[in-house]
Amino acid sequence: INSNNEIISTTLNINKLKIALIACYRPPNHQNENTFFEYLTNILQKQDQHDETLIVGDINCNMFERESNPLREFCYSNGLNNTIKKGTR
């Protein structure tokens, strides 16, 4: 856990599947989205090789609002898929 970025990670071993589980929270008033996603990228890069990676939590980023979106860019650059397809509010 980092005091500026509320992120915690662990590895789950289920049967023969190795899963990286990363839970995070970014407050809505967080000053800089980019520093949050940079830190999250560093967490991902420090993980050992996994069969699956799950990132869960409340990132408070409206990925439907604008074309240049830090969450969308983060997912794309790390080979991740966002399973949220509509707004949650």
Side-chain angles (χ1 to χ4, degrees):
I1 297 178
N2 175 290
S3 62
N4 297 319
N5 298 294
E6 297 179 35
I7 301 172
I8 190 167
S9 65
T10 191
T11 298
L12 304 174
N13 293 299
I14 302 173
N15 296 326
K16 294 183 179 185
L17 198 61
K18 190 173 181 182
I19 302 169
L21 177 62
I22 302 170
C24 52
Y25 173 72
R26 188 183 75 84
N29 61 351
H30 193 276
Q31 295 298 316
N32 190 335
E33 287 179 332
N34 291 328
T35 57
F36 176 82
F37 288 108
E38 287 171 9
Y39 187 76
L40 189 53
T41 298
N42 288 336
I43 296 288
L44 270 177
Q45 292 172 347
K46 291 180 182 178
Q47 298 289 317
D48 292 332
Q49 184 64 35
H50 291 84
D51 300 308
E52 298 287 338
T53 299
L54 299 174
I55 299 175
V56 299
D58 187 354
I59 298 175
N60 284 302
C61 183
N62 183 352
M63 69 178 300
F64 308 109
E65 185 174 88
R66 55 188 176 209
E67 287 187 30
S68 176
N69 182 288
L71 177 57
R72 190 178 299 125
E73 292 170 15
F74 168 79
C75 289
Y76 178 78
S77 64
N78 289 288
L80 301 170
N81 295 313
N82 185 5
T83 59
I84 307 298
K85 301 300 181 199
K86 61 180 183 175
T88 57
R89 290 186 206 196

